[in-house]
Amino acid sequence: MEKIFGLSHLYMTVFLYCFANFMVVPAITDITLAALCPGKEKCSLAIYLTGAQQAIIGLGSLVVMPLIGNLSDIYGRKVMLTFPMTFGILPLVILACSRTKYFFYTYYVLKTVIAMFTEGSVQFLALAYVADNVPESRRVSVFGIMSGIASASFVFGNFSTRFLSTSAAFQVAASMAVISLVYMRVFLPESMMNNSICAKNTETTCLLEKAPTKKWQLFKNLPSVDDTICLLRTSSTFSKAASVAFFVTVADVGAGASLNYYLKAQFHFNKDEFADLMIIAGIAGSISLLILMPVLTPLLGEEKMLSIGLFFGCANMVLYGIAWAPWVPYAAAMISVVATFAMPCLRSIASKQIGPNEQGKAQGCITGICSFANIVSPLAFSPLTALFLSDSAPFHFPGFSIMCSGFAAMVAFIQSTMIRATNPPTSCSIDNSSSEEP
């Protein structure tokens, strides 16, 4: 328990970083519509550009996330955290200066390029940091705490936006992003991965002690397609978890990309109402992850908690899709009290399939697979959303694309029921040093 609370600087780093990024979420829809389609509440161009951005980011992340995870196994989590936290400040600064058409396009391009290298990296590096320092028996609880802290930052960020002007929200967000970076660099200690790895590799030199001193050695340690395939083939549980992660992300990205535009067109939601909805979902998620999950997981097990979370996540999307009155989305948001169980359990299951010196690679692999879903989902759901929000829809069902996201979540739920007890940790280290000349 001491180690769990000893991660306080990591918790604060994640809170500050997520707070800065979540603050601007409620305002993005209004800013996008104002820049691209002034005076309109329906805009196919905005939907297509948002989908294209997600697909491009997913394509870049698919390649980069396993790379970042592998490099964090070699150079340490703190070093690799520095890069996404630094570059993530720049898009916020752009919209803090102005939100006119040309500033928006500058933001759009910069955000797309930077997010290809940073999207999701802080979160999975934080999970790898936890896996370095927390034993397997308590890992799922700490993963839940991490997600709960992110949900709490989601609540505070959206609550702050509720009472700030759009310009002030971006200015505060940019400032908080800088503070999170400074805090991390000053207070967060490097992970204890050195000790845990060396203790379990006594017959050979520690992997971290073999960190490259020459440029050519770096490329020997970069992940390849073989690394990812090895992780998926070596453990059936890991491959099932990866499959569930894919369909969960397809559903989440599809619903997330559609929801705000749907609520804007159907119920005329604005920045403040988006913030209210997100606050409710965030409070429900925080209660679930920080209070319910630590109590229920030892009783039910990670596999059952995963399936329960996915079932209610599916119900959440279906309820959004059939919303017939403005109060229904708020009721749907309350289901987050259970739906948030899924991802911490999934990440914990995946982490237990891999040895201690490959936690970054494992979490990066899962994030890379989620990034692939970020490519597929917008390609499928953006045209569907634009069609059913337009006047040329084949039938009147504005929330049809969100309903289809619910079907993807149902596929993830069915697959999750096939995940059984975790297997012994495996290793996919590719060591070519023995065949090399010294």
Side-chain angles (χ1 to χ4, degrees):
M1 188 62 68
E2 179 181 351
K3 274 207 167 187
I4 292 178
F5 292 102
L7 298 170
S8 57
H9 291 308
L10 179 66
Y11 297 154
M12 182 58 71
T13 297
V14 171
F15 178 85
L16 293 173
Y17 174 82
C18 292
F19 180 86
N21 286 274
F22 287 145
M23 277 191 71
V24 302
V25 173
I28 288 295
T29 301
D30 286 344
I31 290 172
T32 303
L33 289 173
L36 301 178
C37 305
K40 295 183 180 180
E41 293 190 339
K42 296 181 180 180
C43 181
S44 296
L45 176 60
I47 295 171
Y48 281 117
L49 278 180
T50 300
Q53 183 183 54
Q54 290 176 326
I56 294 169
I57 291 171
L59 181 61
S61 298
L62 175 64
V63 177
V64 175
M65 291 304 107
L67 169 62
I68 292 176
N70 200 37
L71 291 176
S72 75
D73 288 335
I74 300 169
Y75 295 105
R77 316 301 180 201
K78 183 174 180 178
V79 173
M80 298 311 298
L81 276 169
T82 303
F83 295 100
M85 294 183 70
T86 300
F87 289 107
I89 297 169
L90 301 179
L92 298 174
V93 172
I94 296 294
L95 290 187
C97 296
S98 177
R99 287 145 307 283
T100 57
K101 181 177 180 179
Y102 294 108
F103 273 85
F104 172 79
Y105 278 116
T106 303
Y107 159 83
Y108 180 88
V109 173
L110 191 62
K111 172 70 173 177
T112 303
V113 173
I114 289 176
M116 291 172 67
F117 302 93
T118 63
E119 190 82 4
S121 56
V122 171
Q123 287 81 359
F124 89 73
L125 287 171
L127 295 177
Y129 189 106
V130 168
D132 294 335
N133 293 275
V134 177
E136 288 186 2
S137 60
R138 296 180 180 178
R139 198 171 291 168
V140 66
S141 296
V142 184
F143 280 9
I145 290 172
M146 290 292 298
S147 297
I149 288 170
S151 292
S153 69
F154 188 78
V155 173
F156 284 104
N158 285 284
F159 187 78
S160 301
T161 303
R162 187 68 176 77
F163 300 100
L164 292 173
S165 66
T166 300
S167 59
F170 278 93
Q171 291 165 4
V172 173
S175 301
M176 291 301 297
V178 173
I179 291 172
S180 69
L181 173 63
V182 173
Y183 183 93
M184 186 274 294
R185 291 302 307 170
V186 173
F187 295 106
L188 182 68
E190 185 52 270
S191 173
M192 295 296 292
M193 56 189 295
N194 302 56
N195 294 338
S196 61
I197 293 172
C198 291
K200 299 201 176 193
N201 291 276
T202 54
E203 72 280 2
T204 60
T205 56
C206 177
L207 175 66
L208 294 180
E209 290 174 356
K210 298 192 292 185
T213 56
K214 299 179 182 180
K215 290 183 179 180
W216 63 269
Q217 287 183 311
L218 171 63
F219 296 98
K220 292 194 329 182
N221 293 293
L222 298 185
S224 64
V225 176
D226 291 340
D227 292 323
T228 300
I229 292 174
C230 177
L231 290 173
L232 296 174
R233 293 180 62 182
T234 304
S235 169
S236 61
T237 301
F238 187 90
S239 63
K240 290 173 184 175
S243 178
V244 170
F246 173 80
F247 282 101
V248 168
T249 307
V250 166
D252 288 345
V253 171
S258 308
L259 184 60
N260 285 0
Y261 292 110
Y262 161 66
L263 295 176
K264 184 79 173 178
Q266 185 77 351
F267 304 119
H268 311 292
F269 273 32
N270 58 29
K271 173 180 75 72
D272 293 340
E273 288 164 319
F274 288 140
D276 291 340
L277 186 65
M278 293 174 185
I279 288 170
I280 292 172
I283 290 174
S286 299
I287 293 172
S288 171
L289 292 164
L290 296 175
I291 298 176
L292 297 180
M293 190 171 175
V295 174
L296 295 177
T297 302
L299 299 175
L300 300 178
E302 295 171 9
E303 293 82 5
K304 288 184 180 178
M305 291 288 285
L306 170 62
S307 296
I308 291 170
L310 291 174
F311 177 81
F312 280 92
C314 175
N316 171 276
M317 294 178 192
V318 171
L319 194 54
Y320 274 127
I322 63 173
W324 63 90
W327 59 266
V328 176
Y330 295 102
M334 290 298 297
I335 299 180
S336 299
V337 75
V338 181
T340 51
F341 291 157
M343 287 311 293
C345 290
L346 184 67
R347 293 283 189 167
S348 178
I349 290 169
S351 77
K352 292 177 181 178
Q353 308 309 304
I354 303 299
N357 61 326
E358 295 182 317
Q359 288 297 320
K361 183 187 294 184
Q363 297 299 335
C365 178
I366 294 292
T367 302
I369 290 167
C370 293
S371 298
F372 180 62
N374 269 280
I375 303 171
V376 174
S377 187
L379 296 177
F381 288 104
S382 294
L384 205 60
T385 302
L387 176 62
F388 279 88
L389 290 181
S390 71
D391 296 330
S392 58
F395 52 89
H396 182 70
F397 196 160
F400 183 73
S401 63
I402 301 174
M403 178 68 74
C404 291
S405 298
F407 295 151
M410 180 58 69
V411 173
F413 164 70
I414 293 171
Q415 290 181 319
S416 73
T417 61
M418 303 175 188
I419 295 178
R420 295 294 179 260
T422 57
N423 299 324
T426 60
S427 175
C428 282
S429 294
I430 299 176
D431 185 3
N432 299 322
S433 59
S434 59
S435 61
E436 299 281 341
E437 289 294 327

